[in-house]
Amino acid sequence: MTSLAHVSTQVLVALAQVAAVALGGPLLLGLMRKVRSRLEGRAGAPIHQPLLDLRKLFLKQRLRPRESSWVFGAGPVVLVATAVAVVAVSPLATTRPPLGQSSDFFAVVFVLLLGSVLLALSALDTGTAFGGMGSSRSMTIGALCEPALLVAILAMAIPAHTSNLPALVRVGLNHPAFIASPARILALASFLVVILAESGRLPVDNPSTHLELTMIHEAMVLEYSGPDLGLIVLGESMRLVFLLGLLVNLLVPWGVADRPGALAFGVGLLALGAKVVAVGVGIAVFEVFTAKMRLFRLPELLAGGFVLALLGAVTAVVAR
Amino acid sequence: LLGGGLAVAALAVFAARRLSHRRRNAWPAVNAVEPWGSGRRVQTARMQYTATSFAEPLQRVFDDVIRPSRDLDVSHLVESRYYIERIAYRTSNDDVIERQFYRPFIAGVRWWGQRARWFQNGSVHRYLAYGFVALVIVLVVVA
């Protein structure tokens, strides 16, 4: 039964989650860059620098390559739209997100994949060699890490008898023994490897490289400038925060709001922020001590992630 | 409801994005310029990625499974071997399962068919002998 009050609170929850992730994404990027800079002995830019960059980009003129079509403009828009849609219906700060019964882990993964595929297509649309190179490499990595992701979701869904995201988080909240089960630990380890691959962090892809031949994700966005580039940066940072938020909520769900109410929701947002910041800083520290892997060594890493997920799924089936 | 809710949300957000995107500058604001292309000034259609090149990393990853056949033809200039006049590169993916399983299987079936021709060579005496042997076997089994 949906009443007006119920619907309006759902909309507010969705807007609050989206706003938090949209603001938190660039801030997390800035914080990760700051941590890397400090560890490398530099002072680094301030933490809110990506927000300033976004403001600068959104005020610029829109340009597009001469031979591109509508796909070029649609890429960044769909990327951000899928990220926003997925963030709005996911249990990031609360276990009762709007449209919670239709927020299935598989559906969320495929909506995110839609954004990646359209970005790759729009990179091909520019007609340059580097756009094609970036999208072909990005699609190869995607093709190798999607099976690992799907099997990891299966490994988490089998013990909980559902792949509904809020239900998975709630199961972790109510039965802590589920979290310590080997199936879930293996699945989340595989999920971490997939996050590093999907969001283009080291050792898969160096996000701050200037050399085009080593670029994977950056080569796709080489032709973008102005508001389009701003949308892409925003979309990518939102996807990173979303994936990390899912990871921490499935691993350490305490703090997520289980009861309705603004206070619980606020606590949930703060807890999400603290957990995502902790994992983000951990990734940034890990990045300082890692070098980018050779492109054709990546299948070994992603196959390792797949094997972890497969072991988790087998454990989940055997230990049922 | 499973995908409907998510789809509706996605569409709503998509519409909002497109509207906000257009309002940022006056319409029409998109200027068509030369693509940057890492500083290359001349951009032709031949520099674009084709389907073969797009799939090349994935093909290289699964090289042991697909086993493509590659053909490289380099023709040098008549005057000097240091200069190349033409390069022709051909690659084709033969279906592994068809090559390893279907073709030997079909060859085996065909071989057996050839051998079985001996059983039906048109001689009536042989057919009568088959009937006699079958009758004897049936009598033995029933008894």
Side-chain angles (χ1 to χ4, degrees):
Chain A
M1 297 296 111
T2 55
S3 62
L4 186 59
H6 182 72
V7 169
S8 56
T9 45
Q10 298 279 56
V11 168
L12 276 178
V13 164
L15 285 177
Q17 275 194 179
V18 168
V21 170
L23 273 182
L27 283 176
L28 180 71
L29 276 186
L31 180 65
M32 287 171 79
R33 283 183 202 161
K34 185 81 167 173
V35 166
R36 276 185 76 173
S37 312
R38 283 287 172 162
L39 282 175
E40 289 169 0
R42 301 181 269 128
I47 294 182
H48 59 278
Q49 182 65 36
L51 285 175
L52 299 175
D53 290 339
L54 279 178
R55 189 185 70 171
K56 173 189 78 169
L57 285 171
F58 280 127
L59 292 176
K60 281 187 165 186
Q61 199 183 19
R62 276 193 74 197
L63 299 173
R64 68 171 183 87
R66 199 177 296 280
E67 275 83 25
S68 64
S69 63
W70 61 271
V71 181
F72 184 79
V77 172
V78 170
L79 185 71
V80 175
T82 56
V84 166
V86 146
V87 163
V89 301
S90 295
L92 290 176
T94 166
T95 54
R96 278 177 190 68
L99 296 175
Q101 64 273 19
S102 70
S103 112
D104 189 67
F105 212 155
F106 290 111
V108 151
V109 162
F110 282 118
V111 169
L112 284 181
L113 187 63
L114 176 70
S116 322
V117 165
L118 204 54
L119 187 65
L121 284 177
S122 56
L124 278 172
D125 191 43
T126 63
T128 61
F130 286 112
M133 183 187 81
S135 49
S136 95
R137 287 178 177 181
S138 178
M139 283 292 108
T140 305
I141 293 178
L144 293 173
C145 70
E146 289 297 323
L149 184 58
L150 293 175
V151 176
I153 297 173
L154 189 68
M156 282 190 267
I158 290 179
H161 300 288
T162 173
S163 62
N164 191 352
L165 265 177
L168 281 175
V169 175
R170 219 176 290 131
V171 151
L173 258 181
N174 298 335
H175 309 278
F178 259 112
I179 301 178
S181 66
R184 199 174 252 217
I185 299 285
L186 286 168
L188 289 175
S190 165
F191 194 34
L192 184 62
V193 172
V194 166
I195 289 178
L196 289 181
E198 285 273 317
S199 53
R201 315 298 307 180
L202 284 166
V204 173
D205 181 18
N206 189 355
S208 59
T209 182
H210 314 291
L211 310 169
E212 287 96 353
L213 289 178
T214 65
M215 291 175 175
I216 299 176
H217 179 260
E218 307 300 315
M220 280 198 290
V221 302
L222 216 49
E223 296 297 327
Y224 283 102
S225 58
D228 294 319
L229 184 59
L231 280 181
I232 288 185
V233 171
L234 182 66
E236 284 295 321
S237 60
M238 285 177 75
R239 282 167 64 130
L240 179 63
V241 171
F242 168 73
L243 289 171
L244 288 180
L246 271 191
L247 177 70
V248 298
N249 275 352
L250 288 169
L251 188 61
V252 191
W254 300 283
V256 176
D258 211 8
R259 318 180 299 274
L263 182 62
F265 186 73
V267 168
L269 275 180
L270 283 176
L272 176 75
K275 288 183 274 186
V276 167
V277 159
V279 176
V281 167
I283 291 182
V285 170
F286 172 67
E287 282 190 345
V288 172
F289 296 103
T290 320
K292 180 179 171 317
M293 285 179 82
R294 282 182 53 190
L295 181 66
F296 291 108
R297 291 257 182 266
L298 278 177
E300 298 168 9
L301 174 71
L302 297 172
F306 181 71
V307 164
L308 283 175
L310 198 61
L311 282 176
V314 166
T315 316
V317 166
V318 161
R320 197 146 45 119
Chain B
L1 188 62
L2 193 67
L6 207 50
V8 164
L11 280 173
V13 168
F14 181 78
R17 282 280 157 280
R18 297 225 57 162
L19 287 174
S20 76
H21 207 170
R22 278 179 192 177
R23 227 186 306 125
R24 211 163 301 285
N25 296 304
W27 174 257
V30 186
N31 298 327
V33 293
E34 289 298 320
W36 182 58
S38 274
R40 184 179 294 117
R41 279 201 296 171
V42 175
Q43 201 92 278
T44 67
R46 287 210 54 195
M47 292 177 188
Q48 211 176 7
Y49 256 54
T50 64
T52 313
S53 47
F54 191 85
E56 196 265 345
L58 203 59
Q59 179 185 289
R60 215 200 277 205
V61 168
F62 290 111
D63 197 34
D64 293 330
V65 176
I66 299 178
R67 291 181 209 264
S69 59
R70 291 192 189 96
D71 209 6
L72 188 60
D73 222 348
V74 180
S75 48
H76 302 267
L77 272 186
V78 179
E79 289 87 6
S80 158
R81 263 193 74 86
Y82 286 115
Y83 292 99
I84 295 179
E85 189 188 351
R86 253 189 78 180
I87 297 183
Y89 174 73
R90 213 169 290 118
T91 174
S92 72
N93 291 337
D94 215 4
D95 198 351
V96 174
I97 295 190
E98 182 171 334
R99 197 173 52 212
Q100 302 284 79
F101 297 120
Y102 286 174
R103 285 200 198 134
F105 180 68
I106 292 176
V109 169
R110 202 174 281 145
W111 174 86
W112 176 244
Q114 293 283 68
R115 298 283 303 170
R117 270 169 143 201
W118 177 83
F119 286 106
Q120 292 188 321
N121 59 350
S123 152
V124 179
H125 304 292
R126 188 170 280 195
Y127 300 158
L128 284 175
Y130 290 156
F132 180 66
V133 168
L135 183 63
V136 166
I137 291 176
V138 165
L139 287 175
V140 166
V141 165
V142 162

PDB file of all heavy atoms in Angstrom, chain B residues 50-80:
ATOM      1  N   THR B  50      38.624  -1.143 -36.713  1.00  0.00           N
ATOM      2  CA  THR B  50      37.643  -2.001 -37.377  1.00  0.00           C
ATOM      3  C   THR B  50      37.180  -3.080 -36.399  1.00  0.00           C
ATOM      4  O   THR B  50      37.639  -3.144 -35.278  1.00  0.00           O
ATOM      5  CB  THR B  50      38.263  -2.675 -38.605  1.00  0.00           C
ATOM      6  OG1 THR B  50      39.305  -3.534 -38.131  1.00  0.00           O
ATOM      7  CG2 THR B  50      38.820  -1.658 -39.556  1.00  0.00           C
ATOM      8  N   ALA B  51      36.297  -3.930 -36.865  1.00  0.00           N
ATOM      9  CA  ALA B  51      35.780  -4.971 -35.988  1.00  0.00           C
ATOM     10  C   ALA B  51      36.886  -5.954 -35.621  1.00  0.00           C
ATOM     11  O   ALA B  51      36.946  -6.445 -34.497  1.00  0.00           O
ATOM     12  CB  ALA B  51      34.623  -5.697 -36.656  1.00  0.00           C
ATOM     13  N   THR B  52      37.763  -6.242 -36.567  1.00  0.00           N
ATOM     14  CA  THR B  52      38.856  -7.173 -36.286  1.00  0.00           C
ATOM     15  C   THR B  52      39.770  -6.620 -35.209  1.00  0.00           C
ATOM     16  O   THR B  52      40.150  -7.313 -34.268  1.00  0.00           O
ATOM     17  CB  THR B  52      39.680  -7.419 -37.559  1.00  0.00           C
ATOM     18  OG1 THR B  52      38.797  -7.688 -38.628  1.00  0.00           O
ATOM     19  CG2 THR B  52      40.622  -8.586 -37.371  1.00  0.00           C
ATOM     20  N   SER B  53      40.120  -5.343 -35.331  1.00  0.00           N
ATOM     21  CA  SER B  53      41.029  -4.766 -34.356  1.00  0.00           C
ATOM     22  C   SER B  53      40.341  -4.593 -33.009  1.00  0.00           C
ATOM     23  O   SER B  53      40.983  -4.676 -31.973  1.00  0.00           O
ATOM     24  CB  SER B  53      41.581  -3.432 -34.853  1.00  0.00           C
ATOM     25  OG  SER B  53      40.533  -2.638 -35.337  1.00  0.00           O
ATOM     26  N   PHE B  54      39.043  -4.359 -33.029  1.00  0.00           N
ATOM     27  CA  PHE B  54      38.327  -4.213 -31.765  1.00  0.00           C
ATOM     28  C   PHE B  54      38.352  -5.505 -30.973  1.00  0.00           C
ATOM     29  O   PHE B  54      38.500  -5.513 -29.762  1.00  0.00           O
ATOM     30  CB  PHE B  54      36.882  -3.796 -32.046  1.00  0.00           C
ATOM     31  CG  PHE B  54      36.128  -3.367 -30.847  1.00  0.00           C
ATOM     32  CD1 PHE B  54      36.199  -2.073 -30.383  1.00  0.00           C
ATOM     33  CD2 PHE B  54      35.328  -4.261 -30.157  1.00  0.00           C
ATOM     34  CE1 PHE B  54      35.500  -1.676 -29.272  1.00  0.00           C
ATOM     35  CE2 PHE B  54      34.635  -3.877 -29.040  1.00  0.00           C
ATOM     36  CZ  PHE B  54      34.711  -2.579 -28.596  1.00  0.00           C
ATOM     37  N   ALA B  55      38.222  -6.610 -31.703  1.00  0.00           N
ATOM     38  CA  ALA B  55      38.166  -7.899 -31.011  1.00  0.00           C
ATOM     39  C   ALA B  55      39.540  -8.498 -30.804  1.00  0.00           C
ATOM     40  O   ALA B  55      39.654  -9.566 -30.214  1.00  0.00           O
ATOM     41  CB  ALA B  55      37.296  -8.862 -31.812  1.00  0.00           C
ATOM     42  N   GLU B  56      40.597  -7.831 -31.270  1.00  0.00           N
ATOM     43  CA  GLU B  56      41.926  -8.442 -31.212  1.00  0.00           C
ATOM     44  C   GLU B  56      42.405  -8.725 -29.790  1.00  0.00           C
ATOM     45  O   GLU B  56      42.950  -9.797 -29.553  1.00  0.00           O
ATOM     46  CB  GLU B  56      42.921  -7.543 -31.961  1.00  0.00           C
ATOM     47  CG  GLU B  56      44.229  -8.230 -32.303  1.00  0.00           C
ATOM     48  CD  GLU B  56      45.296  -7.963 -31.277  1.00  0.00           C
ATOM     49  OE1 GLU B  56      45.107  -7.035 -30.478  1.00  0.00           O
ATOM     50  OE2 GLU B  56      46.318  -8.687 -31.279  1.00  0.00           O
ATOM     51  N   PRO B  57      42.231  -7.826 -28.795  1.00  0.00           N
ATOM     52  CA  PRO B  57      42.701  -8.191 -27.454  1.00  0.00           C
ATOM     53  C   PRO B  57      42.015  -9.438 -26.915  1.00  0.00           C
ATOM     54  O   PRO B  57      42.669 -10.301 -26.329  1.00  0.00           O
ATOM     55  CB  PRO B  57      42.356  -6.961 -26.617  1.00  0.00           C
ATOM     56  CG  PRO B  57      42.290  -5.849 -27.564  1.00  0.00           C
ATOM     57  CD  PRO B  57      41.786  -6.418 -28.828  1.00  0.00           C
ATOM     58  N   LEU B  58      40.704  -9.520 -27.148  1.00  0.00           N
ATOM     59  CA  LEU B  58      39.991 -10.691 -26.631  1.00  0.00           C
ATOM     60  C   LEU B  58      40.445 -11.953 -27.348  1.00  0.00           C
ATOM     61  O   LEU B  58      40.579 -13.026 -26.759  1.00  0.00           O
ATOM     62  CB  LEU B  58      38.487 -10.486 -26.794  1.00  0.00           C
ATOM     63  CG  LEU B  58      37.619 -11.301 -25.859  1.00  0.00           C
ATOM     64  CD1 LEU B  58      37.950 -10.966 -24.435  1.00  0.00           C
ATOM     65  CD2 LEU B  58      36.162 -11.014 -26.133  1.00  0.00           C
ATOM     66  N   GLN B  59      40.712 -11.813 -28.653  1.00  0.00           N
ATOM     67  CA  GLN B  59      41.193 -12.974 -29.401  1.00  0.00           C
ATOM     68  C   GLN B  59      42.562 -13.393 -28.891  1.00  0.00           C
ATOM     69  O   GLN B  59      42.878 -14.575 -28.809  1.00  0.00           O
ATOM     70  CB  GLN B  59      41.257 -12.616 -30.885  1.00  0.00           C
ATOM     71  CG  GLN B  59      41.774 -13.744 -31.734  1.00  0.00           C
ATOM     72  CD  GLN B  59      41.939 -13.282 -33.159  1.00  0.00           C
ATOM     73  OE1 GLN B  59      40.961 -13.054 -33.853  1.00  0.00           O
ATOM     74  NE2 GLN B  59      43.169 -13.130 -33.591  1.00  0.00           N
ATOM     75  N   ARG B  60      43.391 -12.390 -28.522  1.00  0.00           N
ATOM     76  CA  ARG B  60      44.710 -12.743 -28.028  1.00  0.00           C
ATOM     77  C   ARG B  60      44.634 -13.420 -26.669  1.00  0.00           C
ATOM     78  O   ARG B  60      45.407 -14.321 -26.367  1.00  0.00           O
ATOM     79  CB  ARG B  60      45.574 -11.493 -27.933  1.00  0.00           C
ATOM     80  CG  ARG B  60      47.020 -11.782 -28.255  1.00  0.00           C
ATOM     81  CD  ARG B  60      47.886 -10.743 -27.716  1.00  0.00           C
ATOM     82  NE  ARG B  60      47.939  -9.610 -28.621  1.00  0.00           N
ATOM     83  CZ  ARG B  60      48.966  -8.783 -28.644  1.00  0.00           C
ATOM     84  NH1 ARG B  60      49.984  -8.993 -27.870  1.00  0.00           N
ATOM     85  NH2 ARG B  60      48.953  -7.751 -29.441  1.00  0.00           N
ATOM     86  N   VAL B  61      43.669 -12.999 -25.854  1.00  0.00           N
ATOM     87  CA  VAL B  61      43.523 -13.620 -24.544  1.00  0.00           C
ATOM     88  C   VAL B  61      43.112 -15.082 -24.706  1.00  0.00           C
ATOM     89  O   VAL B  61      43.623 -15.964 -24.025  1.00  0.00           O
ATOM     90  CB  VAL B  61      42.471 -12.858 -23.713  1.00  0.00           C
ATOM     91  CG1 VAL B  61      42.093 -13.640 -22.498  1.00  0.00           C
ATOM     92  CG2 VAL B  61      43.011 -11.512 -23.317  1.00  0.00           C
ATOM     93  N   PHE B  62      42.203 -15.338 -25.644  1.00  0.00           N
ATOM     94  CA  PHE B  62      41.713 -16.704 -25.826  1.00  0.00           C
ATOM     95  C   PHE B  62      42.373 -17.385 -27.011  1.00  0.00           C
ATOM     96  O   PHE B  62      41.750 -18.189 -27.701  1.00  0.00           O
ATOM     97  CB  PHE B  62      40.186 -16.674 -26.038  1.00  0.00           C
ATOM     98  CG  PHE B  62      39.454 -16.290 -24.808  1.00  0.00           C
ATOM     99  CD1 PHE B  62      38.795 -15.085 -24.722  1.00  0.00           C
ATOM    100  CD2 PHE B  62      39.428 -17.139 -23.717  1.00  0.00           C
ATOM    101  CE1 PHE B  62      38.119 -14.729 -23.583  1.00  0.00           C
ATOM    102  CE2 PHE B  62      38.751 -16.795 -22.570  1.00  0.00           C
ATOM    103  CZ  PHE B  62      38.106 -15.580 -22.506  1.00  0.00           C
ATOM    104  N   ASP B  63      43.641 -17.073 -27.238  1.00  0.00           N
ATOM    105  CA  ASP B  63      44.333 -17.580 -28.414  1.00  0.00           C
ATOM    106  C   ASP B  63      44.391 -19.106 -28.423  1.00  0.00           C
ATOM    107  O   ASP B  63      44.257 -19.727 -29.469  1.00  0.00           O
ATOM    108  CB  ASP B  63      45.754 -17.015 -28.436  1.00  0.00           C
ATOM    109  CG  ASP B  63      46.395 -17.142 -29.786  1.00  0.00           C
ATOM    110  OD1 ASP B  63      45.662 -17.039 -30.775  1.00  0.00           O
ATOM    111  OD2 ASP B  63      47.602 -17.345 -29.854  1.00  0.00           O
ATOM    112  N   ASP B  64      44.599 -19.720 -27.258  1.00  0.00           N
ATOM    113  CA  ASP B  64      44.731 -21.175 -27.240  1.00  0.00           C
ATOM    114  C   ASP B  64      43.417 -21.861 -27.514  1.00  0.00           C
ATOM    115  O   ASP B  64      43.388 -23.019 -27.896  1.00  0.00           O
ATOM    116  CB  ASP B  64      45.251 -21.619 -25.875  1.00  0.00           C
ATOM    117  CG  ASP B  64      46.666 -21.138 -25.653  1.00  0.00           C
ATOM    118  OD1 ASP B  64      47.378 -21.010 -26.655  1.00  0.00           O
ATOM    119  OD2 ASP B  64      47.028 -20.886 -24.499  1.00  0.00           O
ATOM    120  N   VAL B  65      42.322 -21.158 -27.293  1.00  0.00           N
ATOM    121  CA  VAL B  65      41.019 -21.791 -27.504  1.00  0.00           C
ATOM    122  C   VAL B  65      40.582 -21.613 -28.950  1.00  0.00           C
ATOM    123  O   VAL B  65      40.103 -22.536 -29.590  1.00  0.00           O
ATOM    124  CB  VAL B  65      39.979 -21.156 -26.558  1.00  0.00           C
ATOM    125  CG1 VAL B  65      38.618 -21.723 -26.816  1.00  0.00           C
ATOM    126  CG2 VAL B  65      40.380 -21.393 -25.122  1.00  0.00           C
ATOM    127  N   ILE B  66      40.766 -20.391 -29.457  1.00  0.00           N
ATOM    128  CA  ILE B  66      40.246 -20.095 -30.788  1.00  0.00           C
ATOM    129  C   ILE B  66      41.181 -20.623 -31.871  1.00  0.00           C
ATOM    130  O   ILE B  66      40.741 -21.100 -32.907  1.00  0.00           O
ATOM    131  CB  ILE B  66      40.048 -18.577 -30.950  1.00  0.00           C
ATOM    132  CG1 ILE B  66      39.039 -18.077 -29.924  1.00  0.00           C
ATOM    133  CG2 ILE B  66      39.600 -18.224 -32.326  1.00  0.00           C
ATOM    134  CD1 ILE B  66      38.817 -16.611 -29.978  1.00  0.00           C
ATOM    135  N   ARG B  67      42.494 -20.547 -31.621  1.00  0.00           N
ATOM    136  CA  ARG B  67      43.511 -20.960 -32.589  1.00  0.00           C
ATOM    137  C   ARG B  67      43.232 -20.404 -33.977  1.00  0.00           C
ATOM    138  O   ARG B  67      42.898 -21.148 -34.893  1.00  0.00           O
ATOM    139  CB  ARG B  67      43.609 -22.485 -32.662  1.00  0.00           C
ATOM    140  CG  ARG B  67      44.186 -23.093 -31.418  1.00  0.00           C
ATOM    141  CD  ARG B  67      44.256 -24.588 -31.597  1.00  0.00           C
ATOM    142  NE  ARG B  67      44.148 -25.261 -30.325  1.00  0.00           N
ATOM    143  CZ  ARG B  67      45.190 -25.666 -29.613  1.00  0.00           C
ATOM    144  NH1 ARG B  67      46.415 -25.469 -30.064  1.00  0.00           N
ATOM    145  NH2 ARG B  67      45.008 -26.263 -28.466  1.00  0.00           N
ATOM    146  N   PRO B  68      43.362 -19.077 -34.137  1.00  0.00           N
ATOM    147  CA  PRO B  68      43.109 -18.536 -35.466  1.00  0.00           C
ATOM    148  C   PRO B  68      44.275 -18.848 -36.395  1.00  0.00           C
ATOM    149  O   PRO B  68      45.401 -19.058 -35.953  1.00  0.00           O
ATOM    150  CB  PRO B  68      42.996 -17.042 -35.222  1.00  0.00           C
ATOM    151  CG  PRO B  68      43.807 -16.806 -34.023  1.00  0.00           C
ATOM    152  CD  PRO B  68      43.736 -18.045 -33.170  1.00  0.00           C
ATOM    153  N   SER B  69      43.985 -18.851 -37.666  1.00  0.00           N
ATOM    154  CA  SER B  69      45.053 -19.076 -38.638  1.00  0.00           C
ATOM    155  C   SER B  69      45.459 -17.728 -39.197  1.00  0.00           C
ATOM    156  O   SER B  69      44.621 -16.938 -39.620  1.00  0.00           O
ATOM    157  CB  SER B  69      44.573 -19.996 -39.749  1.00  0.00           C
ATOM    158  OG  SER B  69      43.472 -19.423 -40.396  1.00  0.00           O
ATOM    159  N   ARG B  70      46.741 -17.425 -39.133  1.00  0.00           N
ATOM    160  CA  ARG B  70      47.232 -16.117 -39.554  1.00  0.00           C
ATOM    161  C   ARG B  70      48.099 -16.256 -40.793  1.00  0.00           C
ATOM    162  O   ARG B  70      48.865 -17.201 -40.920  1.00  0.00           O
ATOM    163  CB  ARG B  70      48.051 -15.485 -38.435  1.00  0.00           C
ATOM    164  CG  ARG B  70      47.210 -15.096 -37.278  1.00  0.00           C
ATOM    165  CD  ARG B  70      47.977 -14.212 -36.327  1.00  0.00           C
ATOM    166  NE  ARG B  70      47.197 -14.039 -35.127  1.00  0.00           N
ATOM    167  CZ  ARG B  70      47.357 -14.765 -34.023  1.00  0.00           C
ATOM    168  NH1 ARG B  70      48.294 -15.676 -33.987  1.00  0.00           N
ATOM    169  NH2 ARG B  70      46.588 -14.569 -32.983  1.00  0.00           N
ATOM    170  N   ASP B  71      48.005 -15.296 -41.648  1.00  0.00           N
ATOM    171  CA  ASP B  71      48.739 -15.321 -42.908  1.00  0.00           C
ATOM    172  C   ASP B  71      49.336 -13.954 -43.123  1.00  0.00           C
ATOM    173  O   ASP B  71      48.602 -12.967 -43.230  1.00  0.00           O
ATOM    174  CB  ASP B  71      47.740 -15.652 -44.019  1.00  0.00           C
ATOM    175  CG  ASP B  71      48.396 -16.358 -45.153  1.00  0.00           C
ATOM    176  OD1 ASP B  71      49.591 -16.681 -45.023  1.00  0.00           O
ATOM    177  OD2 ASP B  71      47.719 -16.582 -46.156  1.00  0.00           O
ATOM    178  N   LEU B  72      50.650 -13.861 -43.209  1.00  0.00           N
ATOM    179  CA  LEU B  72      51.297 -12.562 -43.387  1.00  0.00           C
ATOM    180  C   LEU B  72      52.099 -12.597 -44.674  1.00  0.00           C
ATOM    181  O   LEU B  72      52.940 -13.462 -44.869  1.00  0.00           O
ATOM    182  CB  LEU B  72      52.208 -12.259 -42.197  1.00  0.00           C
ATOM    183  CG  LEU B  72      52.806 -10.856 -42.151  1.00  0.00           C
ATOM    184  CD1 LEU B  72      51.697  -9.844 -42.085  1.00  0.00           C
ATOM    185  CD2 LEU B  72      53.703 -10.730 -40.958  1.00  0.00           C
ATOM    186  N   ASP B  73      51.812 -11.673 -45.562  1.00  0.00           N
ATOM    187  CA  ASP B  73      52.416 -11.648 -46.894  1.00  0.00           C
ATOM    188  C   ASP B  73      53.141 -10.329 -47.061  1.00  0.00           C
ATOM    189  O   ASP B  73      52.496  -9.292 -47.188  1.00  0.00           O
ATOM    190  CB  ASP B  73      51.278 -11.738 -47.911  1.00  0.00           C
ATOM    191  CG  ASP B  73      51.616 -12.651 -49.037  1.00  0.00           C
ATOM    192  OD1 ASP B  73      52.803 -13.023 -49.144  1.00  0.00           O
ATOM    193  OD2 ASP B  73      50.704 -12.981 -49.797  1.00  0.00           O
ATOM    194  N   VAL B  74      54.458 -10.349 -47.060  1.00  0.00           N
ATOM    195  CA  VAL B  74      55.222  -9.103 -47.200  1.00  0.00           C
ATOM    196  C   VAL B  74      55.908  -9.106 -48.556  1.00  0.00           C
ATOM    197  O   VAL B  74      56.683 -10.006 -48.861  1.00  0.00           O
ATOM    198  CB  VAL B  74      56.272  -8.994 -46.079  1.00  0.00           C
ATOM    199  CG1 VAL B  74      57.056  -7.718 -46.235  1.00  0.00           C
ATOM    200  CG2 VAL B  74      55.584  -9.029 -44.734  1.00  0.00           C
ATOM    201  N   SER B  75      55.619  -8.103 -49.364  1.00  0.00           N
ATOM    202  CA  SER B  75      56.293  -8.026 -50.670  1.00  0.00           C
ATOM    203  C   SER B  75      57.189  -6.795 -50.670  1.00  0.00           C
ATOM    204  O   SER B  75      56.734  -5.683 -50.415  1.00  0.00           O
ATOM    205  CB  SER B  75      55.277  -7.961 -51.797  1.00  0.00           C
ATOM    206  OG  SER B  75      54.309  -7.008 -51.517  1.00  0.00           O
ATOM    207  N   HIS B  76      58.466  -7.030 -50.948  1.00  0.00           N
ATOM    208  CA  HIS B  76      59.437  -5.943 -50.907  1.00  0.00           C
ATOM    209  C   HIS B  76      59.539  -5.278 -52.268  1.00  0.00           C
ATOM    210  O   HIS B  76      59.117  -5.821 -53.282  1.00  0.00           O
ATOM    211  CB  HIS B  76      60.805  -6.489 -50.506  1.00  0.00           C
ATOM    212  CG  HIS B  76      60.765  -7.173 -49.185  1.00  0.00           C
ATOM    213  ND1 HIS B  76      61.051  -6.511 -48.012  1.00  0.00           N
ATOM    214  CD2 HIS B  76      60.464  -8.439 -48.839  1.00  0.00           C
ATOM    215  CE1 HIS B  76      60.923  -7.358 -47.008  1.00  0.00           C
ATOM    216  NE2 HIS B  76      60.576  -8.536 -47.463  1.00  0.00           N
ATOM    217  N   LEU B  77      60.131  -4.111 -52.278  1.00  0.00           N
ATOM    218  CA  LEU B  77      60.412  -3.418 -53.534  1.00  0.00           C
ATOM    219  C   LEU B  77      61.465  -4.182 -54.316  1.00  0.00           C
ATOM    220  O   LEU B  77      62.314  -4.855 -53.748  1.00  0.00           O
ATOM    221  CB  LEU B  77      60.937  -2.008 -53.241  1.00  0.00           C
ATOM    222  CG  LEU B  77      59.905  -0.891 -53.090  1.00  0.00           C
ATOM    223  CD1 LEU B  77      60.622   0.429 -52.962  1.00  0.00           C
ATOM    224  CD2 LEU B  77      58.974  -0.859 -54.278  1.00  0.00           C
ATOM    225  N   VAL B  78      61.363  -4.043 -55.612  1.00  0.00           N
ATOM    226  CA  VAL B  78      62.298  -4.790 -56.467  1.00  0.00           C
ATOM    227  C   VAL B  78      63.723  -4.311 -56.245  1.00  0.00           C
ATOM    228  O   VAL B  78      64.670  -5.083 -56.198  1.00  0.00           O
ATOM    229  CB  VAL B  78      61.892  -4.628 -57.951  1.00  0.00           C
ATOM    230  CG1 VAL B  78      62.854  -5.369 -58.831  1.00  0.00           C
ATOM    231  CG2 VAL B  78      60.474  -5.145 -58.146  1.00  0.00           C
ATOM    232  N   GLU B  79      63.840  -2.957 -56.053  1.00  0.00           N
ATOM    233  CA  GLU B  79      65.192  -2.399 -56.004  1.00  0.00           C
ATOM    234  C   GLU B  79      65.909  -2.786 -54.722  1.00  0.00           C
ATOM    235  O   GLU B  79      67.097  -3.039 -54.723  1.00  0.00           O
ATOM    236  CB  GLU B  79      65.124  -0.868 -56.089  1.00  0.00           C
ATOM    237  CG  GLU B  79      64.727  -0.339 -57.464  1.00  0.00           C
ATOM    238  CD  GLU B  79      63.228  -0.248 -57.619  1.00  0.00           C
ATOM    239  OE1 GLU B  79      62.516  -0.497 -56.612  1.00  0.00           O
ATOM    240  OE2 GLU B  79      62.774   0.063 -58.712  1.00  0.00           O
ATOM    241  N   SER B  80      65.203  -2.812 -53.606  1.00  0.00           N
ATOM    242  CA  SER B  80      65.930  -3.041 -52.363  1.00  0.00           C
ATOM    243  C   SER B  80      65.036  -3.803 -51.389  1.00  0.00           C
ATOM    244  O   SER B  80      63.853  -3.532 -51.292  1.00  0.00           O
ATOM    245  CB  SER B  80      66.329  -1.698 -51.746  1.00  0.00           C
ATOM    246  OG  SER B  80      66.554  -1.857 -50.368  1.00  0.00           O
TER     247      SER B  80
END
